[in-house]
Amino acid sequence: MDQTEIDDIVSEWVNKGVHISQETVDYVLWYCERKMDVNGIENRKEYLPLLFRDELKNYLFRQAVNATTLLREAERKCAECAACV
């Protein structure tokens, strides 16, 4: 998968207002490569763009769920402090 394919996939999310860092892209690409290694995928050139698209979506979803959980936990713990009242 070349850089233009990666940029196109990332651009779809950026156009929706989602910030994606280069570190996120690198991590998801690494994760995809590792997943293909573990599963013995031979047709990597065709499979990687499909896998990257799905894994980027999954990563962003997990990050949103984690952030929401942290915010709810902070609200629950902080509901009594003077700054929040």
Side-chain angles (χ1 to χ4, degrees):
M1 182 162 75
D2 64 3
Q3 190 62 42
T4 56
E5 287 178 293
I6 293 169
D7 291 342
D8 290 344
I9 293 168
V10 171
S11 295
E12 292 173 17
W13 286 100
V14 171
N15 291 338
K16 294 177 184 177
V18 178
H19 171 75
I20 301 175
S21 68
Q22 185 60 45
E23 290 82 16
T24 298
V25 172
D26 293 342
Y27 171 76
V28 174
L29 281 171
W30 171 84
Y31 183 77
C32 290
E33 292 289 339
R34 177 72 178 130
K35 195 169 186 178
M36 289 188 296
D37 287 342
V38 168
N39 291 299
I41 304 298
E42 294 178 12
N43 195 1
R44 296 167 88 94
K45 189 172 184 174
E46 280 185 36
Y47 190 65
L48 184 57
L50 301 171
L51 184 60
F52 179 74
R53 183 180 305 276
D54 284 344
E55 291 303 331
L56 182 60
K57 177 188 65 158
N58 293 339
Y59 179 86
L60 295 171
F61 181 75
R62 282 191 308 272
Q63 294 299 321
V65 168
N66 291 344
T68 302
T69 302
L70 288 172
L71 287 172
R72 287 184 180 163
E73 184 65 19
E75 277 181 358
R76 187 180 64 76
K77 287 182 178 181
C78 191
E80 302 296 324
C81 76
C84 295
V85 174

